[in-house]
Amino acid sequence: MTGQISASMMCSDLTHLKQTIQIFEEEGIEYLHIDVMDGEFVPNFGLGVDYIKGLREITDIPLDLHLMIRNPEYKLQWIGIRESDIVSIHYESTYQVQRALDWLSPFGCKRFLAINPATPIYVLEEVLDYIDGINLLMVNPGFAGQKIVASTIKKAGRLYKFLEERGKKDIVIEVDGNITPENGNILKQYGAGIFVAGTSSVFQGDASQFAENINRLRDALK
Ligand code: DX5
Ligand code: ZN
């Protein structure tokens, strides 16, 4: 299966939002990656409730909501989650990971657990029955344009094996941060299925180059 693309909207130019979305629709972009940041879990503020509402008015592309917020379980109903969306909560963002996953369930969305570069794979052991995917952070989250944490590439390979050994190959691996076509190609071979595309790929240059950038990334993810 070819890799799916989740375009990282924090990298987009707000003054050309409609044009950007139109290109993404024409090119069949699978998800729009929305980095929701609270200034506590990560040292930055990010896309919020009103932005999400506005985006829903101009497109039906499903959202891939990456919640980089503390105690996300109490804030889920603010967001307007749809069944076709992916929602990632962070393992490190709450003491009640199971509660957060349980409370996500009624929304009918795909439930992903995100883990930071230094968080070991074994923390996933007890939640494998409650998740549809894992968002593997390849950078420390909060900012676009960072360089990949080298150890995360091998970690992706180990994660695939970890899932295979437990009969959980249907759990999707998403990779987020510094996904160049080259990194994406390696990670695809290591079993990743969804690729967050930011300044390292799709958002290079201006909107006139996006279609070409998407094609280049798609070729690398075949
Ligand atoms: C991390 C964010 C960004 C995103 C941007 O949660 O989602 O880092 O990956 O893409 P790059 O890293 O290519 O600028
Ligand atoms: Zn993200």
Side-chain angles (χ1 to χ4, degrees), residues 22-77:
Q22 199 188 332
I23 296 166
F24 290 173
E25 287 182 346
E26 283 164 10
E27 297 298 325
I29 287 290
E30 285 85 357
Y31 294 99
L32 300 178
H33 187 85
I34 310 297
D35 286 304
V36 181
M37 301 187 263
D38 66 355
E40 276 203 42
F41 180 67
V42 287
N44 198 3
F45 292 117
L47 308 176
V49 172
D50 291 334
Y51 177 87
I52 293 167
K53 232 183 247 165
L55 206 51
R56 297 286 198 194
E57 282 173 27
I58 60 169
T59 185
D60 288 323
I61 300 177
L63 302 187
D64 169 25
L65 295 151
H66 180 192
L67 306 185
M68 291 175 268
I69 58 179
R70 235 185 248 286
N71 300 324
E73 61 270 35
Y74 302 105
K75 297 155 191 168
L76 300 173
Q77 64 277 27

Side-chain angles (χ1 to χ4, degrees), residues 86-169:
I86 290 173
V87 177
S88 281
I89 57 143
H90 263 269
Y91 170 80
E92 308 85 355
S93 67
T94 171
Y95 292 126
Q96 313 291 344
V97 172
Q98 186 62 55
R99 173 175 290 151
L101 292 171
D102 285 350
W103 287 6
L104 253 184
S105 193
F107 292 96
C109 60
K110 292 174 202 74
R111 295 182 291 175
F112 279 34
L113 194 65
I115 56 171
N116 282 334
T119 300
I121 286 166
Y122 69 75
V123 304
L124 301 165
E125 184 81 58
E126 300 304 326
V127 299
L128 295 178
D129 289 342
Y130 311 102
I131 56 175
D132 303 294
I134 293 153
N135 183 1
L136 199 63
L137 270 295
M138 312 304 283
V139 298
N140 288 296
F143 301 94
Q146 303 182 85
K147 197 165 163 27
I148 200 161
V149 175
S151 56
T152 59
I153 294 187
K154 279 195 183 144
K155 187 182 179 185
R158 277 189 282 120
L159 175 58
Y160 187 75
K161 259 192 100 195
F162 175 90
L163 295 175
E164 204 173 27
E165 284 165 6
R166 285 154 183 79
K168 292 285 182 185
K169 267 188 354 191

Side-chain angles (χ1 to χ4, degrees), residues 8 10-11 33 35 66 68 137 143-145 176-178 196 198-200:
S8 184
M10 76 180 281
C11 305
H33 187 85
D35 286 304
H66 180 192
M68 291 175 268
L137 270 295
F143 301 94
D176 186 3
N178 195 203
V196 178
T199 62
S200 309

